[in-house]
Amino acid sequence: MKKIILTIVAAACLFTACDIDRFPSTSMSAEEITKDPNASLDALLRGSYAQMKTWSDVMHRCGEYAGDNIMIRGSSTDAFYQFISYSRTPSNGRLQSFWDASYKAIAQTSNIVKMVDEGQSAEIDNKLGECYFLRGLMYFYLCRAYGRPYYQSPETNLGVPIVNGTPDDMFNLSLPDRATVKETYAQAISDMEKAASLMTINNGPIAASKEAAWAILSRIYLYMSGTWDSPNAEYARKSIEYADLVINSGAYSLLSRADFMKTNTIVPEDNEESIFVVKRVASEYSGYDHYYNFSGMYAVIGGMGWGEMYASAKYLDLLNETGRNDWYKGKIVDARAKFIEPTYATTGEHTVFRFIKNVYDAAGNQTNFNYVQADVTVDGDKASCKETVNGVTTTYQLKPVDIEQGIWSIDYRDIKADGSLIKEVTYQGVIDQYINLNRVYPQFYIVKCSREGEDSHLHSPVISRLAEIYLNKAESAAKVGDYATALAALNIVRERSLPGKGYATLTAANAEQLIEKERTLELAYQAERSYDVYRNGRALTRLYPGPHNAMEAVQPADYRVVYYIPQNAINSYPGTLTQNPTSN
């Protein structure tokens, strides 16, 4: 009997011109499926989950690198640098990979649900539910990368093509153009609702489940809940509804503070907070493969990794807001600071005063920021530091701000690029041990995406976990004016990391600030930050050291907020595939 190819991109290269095997491991004859549908579905689903391993790497980079939790030591020729620099091009190979893997998973899962009847057994229905879950997940993630934020005219702005399965006529193929954002979200919601209705078996966080579908529905409706200035109460209530279903299911619980601080080392199957993750295994990252996983950009561990991206000064300031985390002395105030590891010098150790100064060009225009680590002398409540710039050494007297925490201030001479004085500015900094530099930046390594099972850079990307669900509930409740519910949900997450430091009140005046802060702290390095900023109608600013355009505010209506459709996908598409605008 003729084999049915379970990947739409394999037939006539519908989405790209890439080479794909004609009969991949995810193809199977109708006779094989009929003979043992349960075992057949297992095999076919493995192929769909396998696509997510490639998908999740670029998914992470798209969401995280475009945000303000990271900085990179310098520019790069790698395609991912476009995510950081906002220099968008339609020929980005990483975005091509993201598009391909997404549509392969959509095609495979679509064809499975076409070929297998529901109602044969709970096991088969559960696997069909997994297919709907994976397809809905792909549409949602594709739309948030390539489609504009939902509050911006979803009825007319374009999402992505909705193509659910291999067309019957492969010889006269014509596929639809991109659906609207509203239609794409509706497809994702329909798939997730169908998934939840079919799934009755929870096989843990490395497989889709009813609860995982509810978790994504909570996030989708959060994305639809409007901005802080103009919230959509109907969708906010739906986000709360699905958040409560997850919370009240009893299937998950927040890790203790101690366990959370080592959550990056826990394998997904043993993590009671994880709802859905993309499972990776060490054999997939043998030898130097660690260098090419996104976690390898964040740190060098056991001699593995590039270690070229660090926690941003903006993120570090949030971590230190409630009390200084002294990594050198092992004093962690905010549990989330445990995922940051500064590279203190092990030879030539010395004490410095570290602060961030403004950087100016020769005309006196501020162009950036930079770290200063100036040798310091401390004598009780008196301290001074020395800095040499352009061969001139200046001694500064420091003023104590909080001696116990090592926080001091400096009246500093801001200068132009030519060395002439602009003005004196007071900066605040810390007395600490010297941190090794990469180029001119102290290395604040990020290890949240490393050390799973104690393997250097092994990491199973987290799609959803319980802490996010509480944060979804907090934001949605605040948007409908239920500040008591919002505060309770918010403090559950905050007090896990900062015991006894819950917020006393939440009001219309401070809800956005406090909820955004906790989402930033808690969900950092999970590919959420840039989308969180833009979906709420806010500009993204990166007023901290790095090679990015530090003085730029990327507005939510900027054309660069969304990525270009890969040009190869457009070139090989059988039909019209409309590109995103190239300017505002």
Side-chain angles (χ1 to χ4, degrees), residues 558-581:
D558 194 299
Y559 76 98
R560 296 170 300 166
V561 164
V562 295
Y563 295 102
Y564 286 128
I565 304 295
Q567 190 60 47
N568 281 348
I570 292 176
N571 293 344
S572 59
Y573 195 77
T576 299
L577 185 55
T578 302
Q579 182 60 277
N580 279 323

Side-chain angles (χ1 to χ4, degrees), residues 120-170:
Q120 299 182 61
S121 70
E123 291 77 11
I124 289 175
D125 280 355
N126 205 81
K127 291 180 175 65
L128 291 174
E130 291 179 65
C131 291
Y132 281 107
F133 173 87
L134 294 177
R135 188 173 76 181
L137 190 71
M138 294 301 102
Y139 278 125
F140 173 54
Y141 273 75
L142 280 167
C143 195
R144 74 176 192 170
Y146 297 109
R148 299 206 63 82
Y150 195 86
Y151 79 92
Q152 298 177 9
S153 304
E155 300 87 356
T156 54
N157 283 332
L158 296 180
V160 295
I162 297 174
V163 186
N164 293 333
T166 306
D168 294 331
D169 187 353
M170 295 297 298

Side-chain angles (χ1 to χ4, degrees), residues 97 115 149 236 248 263 273 315 334 384 430 455 513 560:
S97 172
M115 295 168 61
N248 296 333
T263 188
E273 187 171 326
Y315 186 70
D334 190 321
S384 64
V430 297
D455 191 280
Q513 175 197 353
R560 296 170 300 166

Side-chain angles (χ1 to χ4, degrees), residues 498-565:
L498 291 160
K501 300 294 184 181
Y503 298 116
T505 59
L506 197 71
T507 66
N510 68 4
E512 177 183 0
Q513 175 197 353
L514 299 185
I515 291 170
E516 179 196 11
K517 178 168 65 176
E518 292 308 314
R519 283 190 73 90
T520 302
L521 284 166
E522 186 70 23
L523 303 181
Y525 318 116
Q526 286 183 216
E528 298 297 322
R529 176 61 182 157
S530 63
Y531 300 116
D532 274 351
V533 173
Y534 297 131
R535 67 175 174 79
N536 268 316
R538 296 297 183 242
L540 187 131
T541 58
R542 294 180 288 179
L543 301 173
Y544 55 81
H548 57 274
N549 186 350
M551 310 314 296
E552 178 183 36
V554 182
Q555 299 297 328
D558 194 299
Y559 76 98
R560 296 170 300 166
V561 164
V562 295
Y563 295 102
Y564 286 128
I565 304 295

Side-chain angles (χ1 to χ4, degrees), residues 223-237:
Y223 273 53
M224 297 169 67
S225 68
T227 66
W228 288 102
D229 298 328
S230 183
N232 184 305
E234 176 189 355
Y235 294 142
R237 290 190 182 96

Side-chain angles (χ1 to χ4, degrees), residues 257 318-319 322-323 325 332-338 497-498 521:
R257 185 177 193 269
L318 280 182
L319 286 174
T322 307
N325 298 280
I332 300 298
V333 177
D334 190 321
R336 294 162 292 207
K338 187 66 174 177
S497 288
L498 291 160
L521 284 166

